[in-house]
Amino acid sequence: MVASTQDSVNEKGTALKRGWTTGACATAATSAALYGLFSDAFKDPIQITLPGGQTPDFALATEERGDDFAMCGIVKDAGDDPDVTHGAMVRATVRQLPEGSGVQFKAGKGVGMVTKPGLPIPPGEPAINPVPRKMMIEHCEKICAELGTRADIEITISVDNGEALAQQTWNPRLGIVGGLSILGTTGIVVPFSCAAWIHSIHRGIDVARAEGLTHVVGSTGDTSEKAAQKRLGLPLQAYLDMGDFAGGLLKYLKANPVPNLTICGGFAKITKLAEGHLDLHSGRSQVGFDWLAEQAQSLGADAALCDEIRAANTAKHVLELCTDADIDIARRIAFLAAEVAQNVLRNEDIHVNVLVTDRKGVIIAES
């Protein structure tokens, strides 16, 4: 592989291996299958060119040729990224179409179909994103020209076990049914990338807006999301898995507003937001126990309790101390977090409400 990018580094300073997107794998499988259809042999390994100019080689995991088709499969290597599609078999089946048909895409087994507006691909189309489509079209045209044939090709992309894998992604709530999306803008998977998660938040907002929803919910995790679902009863596509990326949610909503926003999360995460942190990850922001003591004092906590709060080990411990002393710290945190969110949005037409949950998913405070 020829690549100009550098590997990421984990918290221990160890280089993390980058991997390949489903779009890159689909392009490689398509390219190899075209050689199998129009020449004497499949090309293995197959080299492709990524949008950034890198030229990786991909080994074929399976191949098949029939009277009017050729199929190749490539096992996706996501590197050190915790990607649900790591190890999945991405297959491309190619057939020649009548002259003038151009390149056409079909969703095979395990690849979803788009059913809702707001995504880069319109409803009724296979969930193969624009950049992977462009890559496959360019490689198809180049290889067909090289082999002296027409680039009128039907490309069917499938992913083994893709329908089950898709249940671990945002696809069901985004209205992508039947399987995974074929994704990637660079062809390269960056390990533990925050960008992919934030991208999913953005697409979720796009879909909610396209559906005409007036209320979206950003939750820090599964427990808080279920609590919000039980309280609010909104359509599934209204719920955004915000995770730690409050800033990613709020900044996108600022430019792409929805009238009502609810943020729901556990006491510790919402405390960080109330302090002004927009990245709630434990490695990038910490709960301020001195700050919590100040909030408790303003609610009537005595000096002894404030000292206990400053010496606490966890936010959960602070919550327990305040609850025992009849200090409603959770409600104060909810209000302050809503103020921070409103200040980031800078839009009075967006109403923000914050729900705070305990570890069991019970809502204990609301702004």
Side-chain angles (χ1 to χ4, degrees):
M1 181 198 76
V2 178
S4 60
T5 51
Q6 296 180 348
D7 287 337
S8 299
V9 175
N10 65 15
E11 65 274 10
K12 296 180 181 179
T14 304
L16 296 172
K17 179 185 174 186
R18 294 190 170 193
W20 311 114
T21 63
T22 48
C25 294
T27 300
T30 296
S31 299
L34 287 168
Y35 281 105
L37 184 63
F38 295 122
S39 70
D40 294 334
F42 293 94
K43 184 169 283 192
D44 185 12
I46 181 72
Q47 185 178 94
I48 64 170
T49 302
L50 301 179
Q54 303 91 344
T55 55
D57 291 322
F58 292 80
L60 303 187
T62 187
E63 58 193 53
E64 181 183 355
R65 180 159 38 193
D67 292 338
D68 67 342
F69 77 91
M71 182 278 295
C72 287
I74 289 171
V75 174
K76 178 181 172 179
D77 179 1
D80 289 324
D81 192 72
D83 191 315
V84 298
T85 58
H86 177 69
M89 176 81 79
V90 180
R91 301 174 186 260
T93 302
V94 297
R95 290 180 169 86
Q96 190 157 52
L97 296 172
E99 187 171 359
S101 299
V103 177
Q104 299 182 16
F105 294 95
K106 290 183 65 177
K109 188 174 182 180
V111 170
M113 293 290 292
V114 178
T115 66
K116 294 181 183 295
L119 294 170
I121 300 299
E125 282 287 319
I128 303 171
N129 267 22
V131 172
R133 286 177 183 242
K134 183 173 185 288
M135 290 170 61
M136 282 183 265
I137 291 170
E138 290 176 348
H139 282 76
C140 184
E141 291 175 344
K142 179 180 177 182
I143 292 168
C144 286
E146 174 191 335
L147 298 177
T149 189
R150 294 179 287 105
D152 298 304
I153 304 295
E154 177 190 86
I155 302 173
T156 302
I157 304 299
S158 59
V159 180
D160 291 12
N161 201 38
E163 190 165 4
L165 291 172
Q167 299 305 310
Q168 302 175 53
T169 73
W170 280 54
N171 278 15
R173 73 179 63 190
L174 292 177
I176 298 171
V177 300
L180 294 161
S181 301
I182 303 302
L183 302 172
T185 55
T186 65
I188 299 170
V189 174
V190 179
F192 307 104
S193 172
C194 299
W197 196 315
I198 294 172
H199 176 82
S200 294
I201 294 171
H202 293 177
R203 298 294 76 79
I205 293 170
D206 291 343
V207 168
R209 283 164 52 87
E211 289 279 291
L213 299 184
T214 59
H215 193 168
V216 295
V217 182
S219 301
T220 59
D222 185 62
T223 299
S224 58
E225 181 174 279
K226 288 177 179 176
Q229 288 175 337
K230 186 176 180 180
R231 165 67 69 86
L232 301 171
L234 299 171
L236 182 61
Q237 57 266 36
Y239 296 92
L240 310 169
D241 187 3
M242 176 183 76
D244 294 319
F245 303 108
L249 172 77
L250 293 169
K251 291 171 185 177
Y252 197 74
L253 277 174
K254 179 180 178 181
N256 303 273
V258 174
N260 296 285
L261 166 66
T262 295
I263 294 174
C264 187
F267 179 73
K269 297 282 188 184
I270 299 301
T271 294
K272 292 182 184 181
L273 178 60
E275 289 183 79
H277 298 293
L278 299 181
D279 185 338
L280 311 181
H281 191 276
S282 59
R284 297 184 287 270
S285 61
Q286 299 296 323
V287 170
F289 294 102
D290 289 342
W291 182 84
L292 276 172
E294 291 173 6
Q295 301 310 314
Q297 184 179 35
S298 70
L299 295 171
D302 60 23
L305 176 57
C306 290
D307 287 342
E308 285 188 273
I309 291 172
R310 293 188 186 94
N313 291 322
T314 65
K316 179 176 179 292
H317 187 202
V318 172
L319 181 59
E320 291 168 350
L321 290 170
C322 289
T323 300
D324 291 343
D326 201 26
I327 300 293
D328 195 356
I329 191 74
R331 190 165 183 265
R332 168 61 63 86
I333 292 303
F335 272 100
L336 292 175
E339 285 185 2
V340 169
Q342 201 77 62
N343 288 337
V344 174
L345 291 168
R346 295 182 184 176
N347 187 335
E348 293 181 358
D349 294 330
I350 303 176
H351 176 261
V352 180
N353 187 33
V354 174
L355 304 176
V356 181
T357 66
D358 64 14
R359 292 288 185 90
K360 295 180 180 179
V362 176
I363 296 172
I364 58 173
E366 182 172 2
S367 63

